[in-house]
Amino acid sequence: MSDEESTEYDTLLCDDHHEVVLVDCGPRENHLILAVRKVTGLNLWQSRDLARQAPVTLRKGLSAYRAQSAVAVLRRAGASAEWRQEPEPE
């Protein structure tokens, strides 16, 4: 198997190319800060600063399932969030 075929095969198996984007904080900032903390693993201070920077990318390199789960946590907190497939490196 050539290197090109091997690279293509590895790319097809790897589904870790999704990112979670916080689009808007919503009306419940305290709930959102706790949700950002849960999704990112940051402390409360860092989570608050990150939430206030919306729109902002919170996580990268996630599987589709983990990205969707993180978006669900953020939406339950009243935020507007989405998951996207990361652009392929050139």
Side-chain angles (χ1 to χ4, degrees):
M1 185 178 337
S2 71
D3 287 337
E4 185 177 313
E5 290 173 352
S6 175
T7 302
E8 183 178 339
Y9 182 72
D10 291 341
T11 302
L12 293 174
L13 288 179
C14 182
D15 186 32
D16 296 345
H17 296 291
H18 295 87
E19 61 187 15
V20 176
V21 179
L22 175 64
V23 179
D24 184 58
C25 291
R28 302 181 305 185
E29 185 180 27
N30 291 336
H31 294 277
L32 175 64
I33 291 170
L34 294 175
V36 170
R37 183 178 186 198
K38 184 175 184 176
V39 168
T40 63
L42 298 172
N43 65 36
L44 285 172
W45 187 270
Q46 293 167 324
S47 298
R48 181 192 67 142
D49 289 343
L50 196 56
R52 290 180 175 176
Q53 295 175 13
V56 63
T57 301
L58 297 179
R59 296 282 309 265
K60 291 184 177 185
L62 298 175
S63 67
Y65 175 77
R66 288 190 183 269
Q68 290 173 350
S69 298
V71 167
V73 168
L74 295 168
R75 287 183 178 167
R76 278 193 300 264
S80 175
E82 58 187 35
W83 63 280
R84 304 175 184 163
Q85 186 150 2
E86 291 180 25
E88 292 294 325
E90 294 181 17

